[in-house]
Amino acid sequence: MEIKRFTGFQAGSQKYDLLTAISVAGLNGTPGFQCSMMRLIALITARYNWRTDELTVGQKEMARLWSVDERTVKREIKRLTDSSILLQLRPGVRGRVAAYRLNYTEIYRLSEPVWRNVGSDFVSRMETQTPKPTEKVVHVQFGQEKPEAVEHEGQDLQDPWGRALRRLSESEALLFKSWYCDLKFVEIQDQTITLRAPSKFIAQYIQSHHLKPLLGAVQLEFGRIQKVCLLG
């Protein structure tokens, strides 16, 4: 199913629905999970950049916002990234603030069992604007260890597309499992590679958020590809 970006028409109501989903998921969890979801909601409402779909907040600012120390911030961010609720886009190194993105697919998966606690109208809205993921989420430790490659059933390493998939599974394990693994090769024409995604939502989301790693892997294996076209 297709999900709309959180900008433009109806973006405000969609953001409220997302925050409601996080809230009810937290309220139906353990006390520790409730606290994590409350802290996440505070970060989203105070500092999430919806235009770039990024959260870039320093640990000192998070500590001040949450009224905790920086060690608690580090533990909390690790819990959120280990559970794949937050995806780390860039690590915080050499004075640069780390960047994170909400993993909408995992938020919907966690909250879906309790949508009905909000009401049938909420269920109806969520079912029409959010995907229902069927794949398992890969939990990645962002550190010195390289994530284990995720094998893709049916990979043919003798053809360029099979090698591109393998390259993505090794370099972008979480994105591969969540977004790239079910892409199918269609054709190459005029320096454009056409791929087919399982749904229109996945095609549009990759096009908007995760195109650069995909294009890079394709260019390494196919040569002078300038554009990726995703069909849903």
Side-chain angles (χ1 to χ4, degrees):
M1 286 178 289
E2 179 182 357
I3 180 173
K4 296 179 181 179
R5 295 286 301 277
F6 293 109
T7 56
F9 182 65
Q10 293 186 337
S13 61
Q14 291 170 358
K15 293 173 188 175
Y16 276 121
D17 284 343
L18 176 68
L19 292 172
T20 299
I22 297 172
S23 300
V24 294
L27 290 170
N28 283 271
T30 63
F33 188 65
Q34 291 178 15
C35 183
S36 293
M37 294 303 96
M38 179 176 290
R39 288 168 173 168
L40 177 60
I41 289 170
L43 272 181
I44 294 171
T45 55
R47 290 291 179 261
Y48 203 80
N49 188 325
W50 297 103
R51 184 178 61 82
T52 61
D53 199 16
E54 283 189 11
L55 175 69
T56 51
V57 184
Q59 291 182 358
K60 288 184 178 180
E61 188 175 356
M62 288 188 200
R64 185 169 60 251
L65 179 65
W66 293 344
S67 299
V68 298
D69 57 30
E70 290 188 48
R71 289 185 61 187
T72 301
V73 169
K74 291 179 181 179
R75 290 195 297 267
E76 189 66 84
I77 292 299
K78 187 176 188 303
R79 280 194 291 265
L80 291 170
T81 53
D82 284 352
S83 63
S84 295
I85 294 172
L86 277 183
L87 304 177
Q88 188 183 55
L89 303 178
R90 298 183 299 276
V93 294
R94 296 180 182 178
R96 184 177 63 179
V97 175
Y100 302 92
R101 174 171 295 153
L102 289 171
N103 186 352
Y104 302 112
T105 301
E106 181 65 1
I107 291 170
Y108 301 143
R109 186 190 71 81
L110 287 172
S111 63
E112 185 176 9
V114 291
W115 287 351
R116 293 195 177 277
N117 293 7
V118 182
S120 58
D121 59 327
F122 182 75
V123 174
S124 178
R125 291 198 304 275
M126 295 299 282
E127 286 181 342
T128 57
Q129 70 183 23
T130 62
K132 290 185 177 181
T134 56
E135 71 274 12
K136 295 181 180 178
V137 175
V138 176
H139 301 296
V140 180
Q141 297 286 344
F142 291 94
Q144 294 182 347
E145 295 182 359
K146 184 178 181 180
E148 184 178 352
V150 180
E151 294 295 335
H152 176 38
E153 185 178 354
Q155 278 185 11
D156 182 358
L157 300 183
Q158 300 304 312
D159 72 85
W161 176 239
R163 293 196 300 271
L165 285 174
R166 179 56 183 266
R167 184 181 295 275
L168 287 166
S169 76
E170 293 174 345
S171 63
E172 303 285 349
L174 180 59
L175 291 179
F176 176 83
K177 184 65 176 177
S178 298
W179 301 104
Y180 302 140
C181 65
D182 291 323
L183 296 178
K184 305 296 183 184
F185 174 80
V186 177
E187 65 177 2
I188 291 179
Q189 187 174 10
D190 298 329
Q191 297 185 338
T192 296
I193 184 170
T194 300
L195 307 173
R196 185 172 299 279
S199 69
K200 187 177 180 181
F201 159 70
I202 291 177
Q204 291 185 342
Y205 199 88
I206 293 174
Q207 196 83 44
S208 300
H209 296 81
H210 304 311
L211 189 63
K212 188 174 181 179
L214 177 60
L215 178 60
V218 166
Q219 288 174 330
L220 286 171
E221 298 299 339
F222 285 90
R224 298 185 63 182
I225 297 295
Q226 300 299 321
K227 182 180 178 182
V228 176
C229 176
L230 287 159
L231 306 177

